[in-house]
Amino acid sequence: MALPFPVPASLDASFTMSRPTEADINAMADIYYDSFSPDPGFTYWWSEDREGMFAWLHARIRRKMSDRSVRHFMIVDDQSEVVAFARWDIPKGYEAAFGEWVGIDDNVALDVSQGASGEEDTVPTAPTEAMMAPAPTKDTSTPAGSNSEQCEAFFAKLAVLSKKWDAERMLDLSLLCTAPKYHRRGAGRALLVPVLAIADAVGLRTYVEATPAGRPLYEKLGFREVENIALNAAAATAGRVKGTSVLSIMIREPQLQ
């Protein structure tokens, strides 16, 4: 499936940009886990049961790939190994600008009409997906072995922020993951720049919830912090996870062409 934008000239010569399919879900789940698990300050609600966590990640990626308002783009290396991927939630009415939907058809996944459309949902650089309230599924609403009370309390804060800033009316970078061994090779930036160019062309603002690791990249691309919240993981986990982490709400205004 053709990309809705030209591949950035800066992309590493050994990399190729494409659209992920159902066959890529396992690799995407691996990258998802490896990207976020080193930072328990933002993922303290995750299950310590690795198998249960992977099952939840796999189901969530599959469900998102059935949502026709979501666009996924990925980078693979010259051995066809997935390097990084990004997920964008497109506001209603702008779907065509970001290319034809590529995902899992409803005859092999849950009915699209009952899918994740409208769900609130580095480097890892975009923690939204890792920290969003787990949406109900046919099997379970939270990862097996996770603390549902911690999830609900934490995600309620994010829902308030999303509503406050009217994120549903913006292009939302809900997930950006790069396999750790490919850090600092420009994959994350390459996945952002062409999509942001489309946002500029159609006059869309862009929303992201950024960790400290991701914030420098976003600032270079025109995002500005509008609010931040301190997440006291130590208090939420009775000291199991130490310290306080800061989440930045960042918005990018469309840039002049």
Side-chain angles (χ1 to χ4, degrees):
M1 181 62 64
L3 296 169
F5 48 72
V7 174
S10 61
L11 186 68
D12 189 300
S14 66
F15 292 166
T16 302
M17 192 176 294
S18 62
R19 308 289 297 275
T21 67
E22 184 177 6
D24 300 304
I25 292 179
N26 285 337
M28 293 164 73
D30 284 340
I31 293 175
Y32 193 144
Y33 187 91
D34 291 343
S35 293
F36 292 106
S37 58
D39 193 350
F42 290 103
T43 57
Y44 58 80
W45 61 273
W46 277 27
S47 173
E48 295 183 8
D49 175 359
R50 184 181 176 92
E51 183 176 344
M53 195 65 214
F54 265 104
W56 183 84
L57 292 174
H58 189 284
R60 186 167 182 79
I61 292 171
R62 183 181 182 87
R63 185 171 61 254
K64 277 291 194 176
M65 291 186 73
S66 74
D67 185 342
R68 293 177 182 268
S69 70
V70 174
R71 299 291 183 270
H72 293 80
F73 302 102
M74 73 175 182
I75 291 174
V76 299
D77 67 9
D78 53 8
Q79 302 300 312
S80 298
E81 182 175 346
V82 179
V83 171
F85 70 96
R87 174 184 300 149
W88 301 85
D89 295 332
I90 313 300
K92 187 175 180 179
Y94 289 90
E95 294 88 351
F98 294 89
E100 184 178 352
W101 174 75
V102 176
I104 300 174
D105 199 282
D106 57 7
N107 66 348
V108 294
L110 79 163
D111 190 324
V112 170
S113 67
Q114 302 173 22
S117 182
E119 217 182 295
E120 289 290 331
D121 275 297
T122 188
V123 220
T125 61
T128 309
E129 175 70 16
M131 302 185 300
M132 274 182 34
T137 72
K138 291 184 176 180
D139 302 312
T140 180
S141 61
T142 59
S146 64
N147 186 313
S148 60
E149 291 183 0
Q150 288 179 3
C151 292
E152 292 169 4
F154 177 65
F155 301 135
K157 297 179 181 178
L158 297 183
V160 168
L161 290 169
S162 178
K163 184 175 182 179
K164 174 181 177 179
W165 292 103
D166 204 12
E168 288 187 355
R169 295 174 65 86
M170 302 185 212
L171 175 65
D172 183 359
L173 175 58
S174 63
L175 184 60
L176 175 63
C177 298
T178 301
K181 70 178 182 179
Y182 291 107
H183 285 181
R184 301 187 182 283
R185 292 184 61 180
R189 183 184 181 91
L191 286 167
L192 298 183
V193 169
V195 180
L196 292 175
I198 296 175
D200 292 341
V202 298
L204 272 177
R205 305 170 83 201
T206 307
Y207 180 90
V208 69
E209 295 164 359
T211 62
R215 180 171 169 167
L217 173 61
Y218 294 129
E219 288 179 333
K220 290 177 182 178
L221 295 177
F223 287 86
R224 296 294 177 261
E225 182 183 82
V226 294
E227 188 168 351
N228 65 63
I229 57 172
L231 307 173
N232 192 337
T237 62
R240 178 176 60 83
V241 176
K242 306 299 182 183
T244 298
S245 299
V246 177
L247 175 69
S248 295
I249 306 303
M250 304 186 77
I251 292 176
R252 180 183 183 273
E253 299 293 337
Q255 309 292 300
L256 295 176
Q257 298 297 298

